Amino acid sequence: MKHNEIESKWQQAWTKAEAYKADNNSTKPKYYALDMFPYPSGSGLHMGHIASYTPTDIISRYKRANGFNVLHPMGYDAFGLPAEQYAIQTGVHPAITTQKSIESFRATLQRYGFSFDWSREISTCDESYYKWTQFIFLKLFEKGLAYQKEVPVNWCPALKTVLANDEVIDGKSERGGHPVIRKPMKQWMLKITDYAERLLNDLDKLDWPERTKEGQRNWIGKSEGAVVKFKVKNSDSDFEIFTTRPDTMFGVTFMVLAPEHPLVKQIVSQGQAVAVASYIEASAKKSEVDRKANTEKTGVFTGGHAINPVTGKDIPIWIADYVMMDYGTGAIMAVPGHDERDFEFATQFLIPIVRVLESETDLPFTGEGKLVNSDFLNGLTKTEAIKKMNSHLEEKNLGKKQIQYKLRDWLFSRQRYWGEPFPVYHENGQIKPVPLNDLPVILPQVANYEPSDSGESPLANNQEWLPYKNGRRETDTMPGAAGSSWYFLRYADPHNTTAPFSPEAIKYWLPVDLYVGGAEHTVGHLLYSRFWTKVLFDAGLISVDEPFKKLAHQGMILGPDGEKMSKSRGNTVPADEVAKETGVDALRCYVSFLGPMDKDKPWAENGIEGVRRFLDRLQRLVTNDVTGETVATDAALPAEVEKLLHKTIKKISQDIEALNFNTCISSMMILVNELYKHECRSKKALLPLAQLLQPFAPHLAEELWHTMGGAGLVVTAAWPKFDPALCQDDTVTMGVQVNGKMRGTVELAIAADEATAVAEALKITTVAAALNGVAPAKVIYKAGKILNLIAGK
């Protein structure tokens, strides 16, 4: 039977038997394995999906076989820009193209034999789903964690929408590569900053890759320092800065404000007005990412001065685009003697530089040294000086100690059509929640999907939908990350019509035991999901405050040239074509065999052919490939085969738990070779081998199991057990040392005594030569571990 016939046959059988259906009322221990759900694009399944979904499928199959009630669901992150852009170009409603893509995606996923519980399938653009996304937003709103504010945003004129920082790459939109500029707009924000400390501290209790946890720590960016107030000369105005080094305040020689800082227009002198206005205009055309990345120092003197609160000296105030209005206070104090960026700026614009830290090196000196030129701080260490300066600032009411974070509130608005409508309306200058019994707020039909040039979303053009009660509905829509910030909770209870989920279902299934997806989501989805989980925990709606217990990142499958697969490079390997030619099982096994799960791996055409040959060899142990007759026997196993079988069961069990799937395939290959070596076709080895194979090649495993008369389905059969006694080696290969230098190896029984070990060692020519034919003066021997012969003098 051809592989495509085998695949279709057993997929139908599994569906009929509901082999992968999770049970919310089971008494079994639970295991929740989850993939980052995909955006249902028209391009379909690619190798990246195979690399991502295969590991969780292997684990899910293994855990089911070991008696776990496994939740392994699939769904679609269905709101997004591509469908909307297509709608703008063609007039086809995004729901139509999205549904078509979902149907194609589902069919392809099912064709690959992934053991998803399809009864729990969800889509974030379904009204029955986004009703509860809106419900959760209202919880955020009730708790004061959702608010509107005019902020500088990443505005993409081509897409006519606002983009989050993680959606901007090198000053361009992640989707389409369009230029992005900074522009002030009223936006919905979520107060993720209220959770900064908890998001930071709770990373320590997660089994996540360290680089991912460190990425979130750096993004949250906790800093301990002081907020200091600087007065503007000849004015009643003042402004605050945050510094982690208040001890260096005697070294401040200039101040820098963000170009958008409201104080700029008040302090600019007549002579500098044109230059300042021109600089502000130029800065507005740059994205935040560009401003941060720019190595060229630019800036303009405002003509205004501040007064250093500890020295009383005048300090010039500049504007520069590397200072951001929405980070910190939008102002910094510059200490060019001890900060490289400030030093470069001061050098370029001929601003004085003052040393306040002792060192033997030239400025800028960014290390630690005793304070100099600093009045009452002179001679103190950094720690002593910071403590003394903080006390001085608080005593004089000039500042105070403070903790700040780089993390900023989550910009949660989009001026586009294809997203969740906000469940609020505006009435008499107030923002009011839509009552729960009016949810969901349905996304209405619109005549034109394109946002207006002013930035309002297409929803603003639907005059029938816009009025609500005595007010006007909110016309912005939520970002794509809204639905993905809680979907892992909905899978626990996806058909609940009275709540997003039941407390009982959450208590049983959460947290997710294994979550697999790309590291590129470190400071986006993975952080937002943790935030929403904590909010829902605080609201008493769920019983966990972290969503994902263990996280793993899959490596990329590279093109045959070792580069990232892309159509422009011409190095893509179409998954469907490979599966059609070699079979789904061969593709799954090859993806597992390529190398460690978390490493990038180049595709090799001859590699998958080798895996296909391995599967064919295994099949020939069970059936005659010419006649199709069963050739497996009931014969007893040779002792060597029996021992290797039990070792293989043990090793594959351990390797699956450790996500070392490549070595699992290797172990099965070794066992198959041993069966051929002994001309062994015994079901006593081949039935458990089919069970070991099923997480990797389920279709062939099921066919072999059925052919040999295995009971029921192999995908629901209990995992084979190993006998620890049979996993022990009878002999061991030991190195033989003479005076600590390796001279050869011997094969010994595990419990061989010293006399036997020495006698065997002396048979080795190199050992005898090193001893000059004389008996060793001393022997250091530990059975199975060390044999060191010490020669006499």
Side-chain angles (χ1 to χ4, degrees):
M1 190 180 290
K2 295 180 180 179
H3 59 73
N4 59 332
E5 294 172 349
I6 291 174
E7 290 160 11
S8 176
K9 170 186 173 181
W10 291 113
Q11 286 167 16
Q12 291 177 41
W14 298 332
T15 300
K16 185 177 179 181
E18 296 185 333
Y20 308 131
K21 195 167 185 178
D23 181 3
N24 276 21
N25 299 308
S26 174
T27 57
K28 294 179 179 179
K30 69 92 179 180
Y31 192 86
Y32 188 173
L34 183 63
D35 302 291
M36 291 186 183
F37 65 169
Y39 175 77
S41 67
S43 57
L45 202 69
H46 55 72
M47 280 299 173
H49 293 111
I50 303 295
S52 179
Y53 302 158
T54 300
T56 50
D57 197 57
I58 292 169
I59 284 285
S60 296
R61 292 173 175 278
Y62 169 77
K63 289 292 183 180
R64 283 192 201 96
N66 278 281
F68 284 81
N69 181 27
V70 174
L71 175 55
H72 186 38
M74 178 47 68
Y76 310 97
D77 193 6
F79 278 128
L81 267 177
E84 182 160 339
Q85 289 300 106
Y86 186 77
I88 291 170
Q89 294 162 12
T90 65
V92 178
H93 195 286
I96 296 172
T97 54
T98 300
Q99 187 56 37
K100 186 177 178 181
S101 295
I102 285 174
E103 289 169 5
S104 171
F105 228 88
R106 183 192 302 120
T108 307
L109 288 167
Q110 290 173 340
R111 193 160 64 246
Y112 277 78
F114 292 116
S115 63
F116 296 125
D117 180 353
W118 288 105
S119 70
R120 294 175 184 251
E121 183 185 42
I122 60 174
S123 171
T124 58
C125 69
D126 285 349
E127 293 170 13
S128 61
Y129 182 89
Y130 72 70
K131 169 182 180 177
W132 302 112
T133 305
Q134 293 172 342
F135 169 86
I136 294 171
F137 174 82
L138 289 178
K139 291 295 176 186
L140 289 155
F141 184 70
E142 288 168 14
K143 291 180 169 294
L145 295 169
Y147 63 99
Q148 271 194 318
K149 174 187 175 184
E150 188 167 276
V151 294
V153 297
N154 299 313
W155 172 252
C156 180
L159 298 177
K160 296 183 180 178
T161 192
V162 171
L163 301 175
N165 287 328
D166 56 290
E167 295 175 308
V168 180
I169 299 174
D170 296 330
K172 295 180 180 178
S173 63
E174 182 182 29
R175 181 70 63 179
H178 303 294
V180 175
I181 63 171
R182 299 288 283 172
K183 174 180 177 179
M185 288 182 71
K186 183 168 276 192
Q187 299 291 315
W188 279 98
M189 309 291 292
L190 296 187
K191 206 176 286 187
I192 191 173
T193 49
D194 276 13
Y195 283 75
E197 190 68 16
R198 283 169 64 186
L199 288 167
L200 187 64
N201 292 338
D202 288 352
L203 285 168
D204 293 338
K205 65 185 183 183
L206 300 179
D207 183 9
W208 286 22
E210 192 54 41
R211 63 189 168 110
T212 306
K213 293 200 283 188
E214 195 59 27
Q216 288 202 1
R217 288 187 189 105
N218 292 336
W219 188 259
I220 295 168
K222 182 177 181 178
S223 298
E224 296 184 12
V227 169
V228 186
K229 187 180 293 184
F230 284 75
K231 291 190 174 184
V232 177
K233 186 179 180 182
N234 299 325
S235 168
D236 293 332
S237 299
D238 55 42
F239 61 96
E240 291 183 335
I241 62 94
F242 174 79
T243 176
T244 58
R245 293 299 302 270
D247 56 313
T248 63
M249 285 189 62
F250 286 93
V252 177
T253 60
F254 64 102
M255 311 296 293
V256 184
L257 303 182
E260 306 87 357
H261 199 293
L263 193 62
V264 174
K265 292 180 180 178
Q266 298 177 34
I267 64 172
V268 64
S269 66
Q270 188 173 350
Q272 290 296 106
V274 174
V276 168
S278 176
Y279 189 84
I280 291 173
E281 183 181 353
S283 298
K285 294 177 181 177
K286 297 180 182 178
S287 73
E288 177 178 340
V289 176
D290 278 345
R291 285 168 60 171
K292 283 182 176 178
N294 195 0
T295 55
E296 181 187 356
K297 296 294 175 284
T298 65
V300 174
F301 175 46
T302 64
H305 289 79
I307 300 170
N308 187 321
V310 296
T311 67
K313 293 181 179 178
D314 294 352
I315 312 168
I317 303 174
W318 288 65
I319 58 170
D321 61 13
Y322 67 82
V323 179
M324 309 290 171
M325 189 59 228
D326 53 348
Y327 173 53
T329 64
I332 65 165
M333 69 177 207
V335 185
H338 306 288
D339 181 277
E340 290 179 358
R341 183 184 59 183
D342 295 346
F343 182 86
E344 290 173 12
F345 194 95
T347 303
Q348 182 167 335
F349 294 106
L350 304 178
I351 300 171
I353 299 171
V354 176
R355 176 188 287 276
V356 292
L357 294 175
E358 194 174 60
S359 74
E360 296 180 359
T361 61
D362 292 335
L363 299 180
F365 171 65
T366 58
E368 293 192 19
K370 290 189 175 181
L371 276 290
V372 295
N373 302 321
S374 298
D375 198 346
F376 59 88
L377 301 181
N378 285 338
L380 299 180
T381 63
K382 170 187 170 181
T383 304
E384 294 168 340
I386 288 175
K387 185 177 180 181
K388 191 163 186 176
M389 177 59 81
N390 283 340
S391 297
H392 175 78
L393 293 171
E394 290 179 347
E395 286 172 13
K396 303 293 183 181
N397 202 27
L398 300 171
K400 60 182 179 181
K401 286 189 291 184
Q402 195 174 91
I403 293 173
Q404 284 199 359
Y405 303 88
K406 282 198 294 186
L407 181 68
R408 280 167 283 174
D409 283 344
W410 176 8
L411 194 154
F412 201 68
S413 286
R414 297 293 182 271
Q415 289 66 47
R416 63 190 189 207
Y417 173 71
W418 192 232
E420 300 93 339
F422 280 91
V424 296
Y425 63 101
H426 302 263
E427 183 181 315
N428 299 325
Q430 290 186 311
I431 300 174
K432 297 185 176 182
V434 170
L436 295 181
N437 58 6
D438 276 1
L439 297 184
V441 176
I442 303 293
L443 187 64
Q445 298 288 331
V446 293
N448 185 354
Y449 300 109
E450 191 162 356
S452 65
D453 292 335
S454 65
E456 268 205 304
S457 93
L459 301 187
N461 298 324
N462 188 321
Q463 297 304 317
E464 292 182 11
W465 177 83
L466 208 54
Y468 180 75
K469 295 188 182 291
N470 296 316
R472 181 180 190 266
R473 291 188 187 274
E474 173 60 58
T475 60
D476 282 359
T477 54
M478 298 186 204
S484 64
S485 291
W486 74 282
Y487 78 109
F488 44 88
L489 301 171
R490 184 63 173 173
Y491 281 136
D493 195 13
H495 306 297
N496 195 325
T497 58
T498 60
F501 35 71
S502 71
E504 295 79 16
I506 296 298
K507 186 175 181 180
Y508 178 70
W509 286 116
L510 272 291
V512 173
D513 293 286
L514 175 65
Y515 195 35
V516 174
E520 67 272 16
H521 300 290
T522 294
V523 297
H525 161 65
L526 288 169
L527 190 62
Y528 299 152
S529 298
R530 296 183 62 220
F531 167 47
W532 276 37
T533 299
K534 291 182 184 301
V535 171
L536 293 171
F537 174 78
D538 290 351
L541 294 174
I542 61 175
S543 48
V544 294
D545 66 349
E546 284 290 343
F548 314 122
K549 184 177 180 181
K550 180 179 177 67
L551 172 72
H553 300 308
Q554 78 283 6
M556 284 192 296
I557 295 182
L558 307 173
D561 56 359
E563 299 291 332
K564 183 178 179 180
M565 286 189 190
S566 71
K567 290 180 180 178
S568 62
R569 287 197 181 99
N571 66 348
T572 57
V573 178
D576 282 350
E577 288 183 21
V578 174
K580 188 175 181 181
E581 185 177 337
T582 65
V584 165
D585 286 339
L587 179 55
R588 288 171 57 109
C589 285
Y590 181 55
V591 165
S592 303
F593 184 58
L594 270 173
M597 173 195 157
D598 59 342
K599 305 297 182 187
D600 294 344
K601 303 164 278 282
W603 179 271
E605 204 67 51
N606 60 342
I608 192 167
E609 291 169 2
V611 169
R612 181 69 260 173
R613 286 194 298 272
F614 153 66
L615 295 175
D616 290 343
R617 291 187 78 217
L618 171 53
Q619 189 167 10
R620 285 195 295 271
L621 286 170
V622 178
T623 59
N624 184 303
D625 59 353
V626 176
T627 65
E629 295 177 356
T630 303
V631 293
T633 71
D634 294 315
L637 293 179
E640 296 92 333
V641 172
E642 186 178 25
K643 285 183 68 69
L644 181 59
L645 173 64
H646 283 264
K647 287 181 180 180
T648 303
I649 295 170
K650 179 181 179 181
K651 179 165 175 51
I652 289 178
S653 302
Q654 292 172 339
D655 286 350
I656 289 178
E657 292 278 8
L659 308 183
N660 294 329
F661 306 125
N662 56 323
T663 53
C664 294
I665 304 295
S666 300
S667 295
M668 285 187 277
M669 288 177 169
I670 292 168
L671 180 56
V672 167
N673 288 339
E674 191 73 8
L675 290 170
Y676 272 98
K677 176 182 171 183
H678 288 270
E679 297 183 355
C680 176
R681 298 175 182 271
S682 173
K683 294 177 186 177
K684 291 179 173 62
L686 291 170
L687 281 169
L689 180 52
Q691 292 173 278
L692 297 177
L693 182 67
Q694 79 88 4
F696 305 89
H699 308 89
L700 178 59
E702 198 70 78
E703 182 70 13
L704 300 180
W705 180 261
H706 176 75
T707 300
M708 291 185 286
L713 295 169
V714 75
V715 297
T716 56
W719 192 251
K721 304 294 183 185
F722 63 85
D723 183 344
L726 290 173
C727 294
Q728 297 295 321
D729 286 313
D730 295 326
T731 62
V732 64
T733 300
M734 288 186 61
V736 181
Q737 300 175 2
V738 177
N739 294 336
K741 290 185 179 181
M742 184 66 68
R743 297 295 182 180
T745 60
V746 289
E747 187 83 14
L748 296 171
I750 290 285
D753 59 23
E754 182 178 306
T756 303
V758 172
E760 289 298 315
L762 292 176
K763 294 177 183 177
I764 302 171
T765 305
T766 51
V767 172
L771 290 168
N772 293 320
V774 179
K778 182 180 178 183
V779 176
I780 301 171
Y781 176 68
K782 288 186 178 179
K785 294 182 179 179
I786 187 171
L787 175 56
N788 188 8
L789 309 179
I790 309 300
K793 294 182 180 180

